[in-house]
Amino acid sequence: MMGRFGIPTKHKIIKTNMALLHKVMITSVFTSIFLILVALRLDEETAWNWFIIFIPVWFFDAILVTYVTLRLMRHCRNGYDQADTLKSLTLKVQMLVVLLLKIVFQVLLCLRLQEIGDLRYYYVFIPLWMIFSLGVYKLCPRINVS
C-alpha cells in the first residue's frame, strides 16, 4: 500500500512494526525459556537430559528452517520472491546452510554434555567454526591480489 509519491501509508508502517514486534516477542520467549532450563540444569535442581533442555531452541530453529525453506521454494518456483526482492537465491541457501550447521552443533553439544560416546570438544565445535568462517567470508570485502 503505497501512498502518494511512493511513500508507504500509515497502515503499511503499522503492519510492518507489528510483524517485527511479534518476531522479537517470540524470540525473547524462546530464549528466556531456554536460559531458565539451562540455569536449572547447571544448578543441579533437575537431572534432565540436555536434549530436553534444548527443545525451545530446536523448536525455534524448526520455525526458522521452515520459513527459509518456504521462501527458497517460492523463489525457485517463480524465479524471484515477490516479498523479498533484495535477497538473492544464494543468500537464502547460505541462511539455510547456517541454520543446519547450527542444529548440527547443538546436537553434537548435547551428545558431549550428556557424555554419550567419546566425543571431543574440538569435533563438537567444527560446525560453529564453519559458521564463523562463512560469516568472515560474507562480511569481509573482496581482496584483490594482483
Side-chain angles (χ1 to χ4, degrees), residues 6 12 21-22 30 51-52 57-58 66 70 90-93 112 119 121-123 132-133 137 140:
K12 174 80 173 175
L21 178 66
H22 288 117
F30 282 121
F51 288 97
I52 293 172
V57 178
W58 287 329
T66 304
L70 289 175
T90 57
L91 182 61
K92 291 173 186 170
V93 170
R112 175 65 176 123
L119 195 60
Y121 277 113
Y122 52 84
Y123 294 129
F132 290 154
S133 300
Y137 172 75
C140 290

Side-chain angles (χ1 to χ4, degrees), residues 30 33-38 41 46-59 106 110-111 113-114:
F30 282 121
I33 292 170
F34 172 67
L35 291 175
I36 289 169
L37 291 175
V38 168
R41 177 68 163 100
T46 63
W48 291 340
N49 193 332
W50 281 101
F51 288 97
I52 293 172
I53 292 172
F54 273 80
I55 285 177
V57 178
W58 287 329
F59 187 71
Q106 292 169 356
C110 286
L111 287 171
L113 292 173
Q114 205 59 38

Side-chain angles (χ1 to χ4, degrees), residues 96-124:
L96 189 62
V97 167
V98 166
L99 282 170
L100 294 176
L101 284 172
K102 180 182 175 240
I103 292 170
V104 169
F105 167 69
Q106 292 169 356
V107 169
L108 290 174
L109 184 64
C110 286
L111 287 171
R112 175 65 176 123
L113 292 173
Q114 205 59 38
E115 297 177 356
I116 298 175
D118 186 25
L119 195 60
R120 299 190 185 258
Y121 277 113
Y122 52 84
Y123 294 129
V124 170

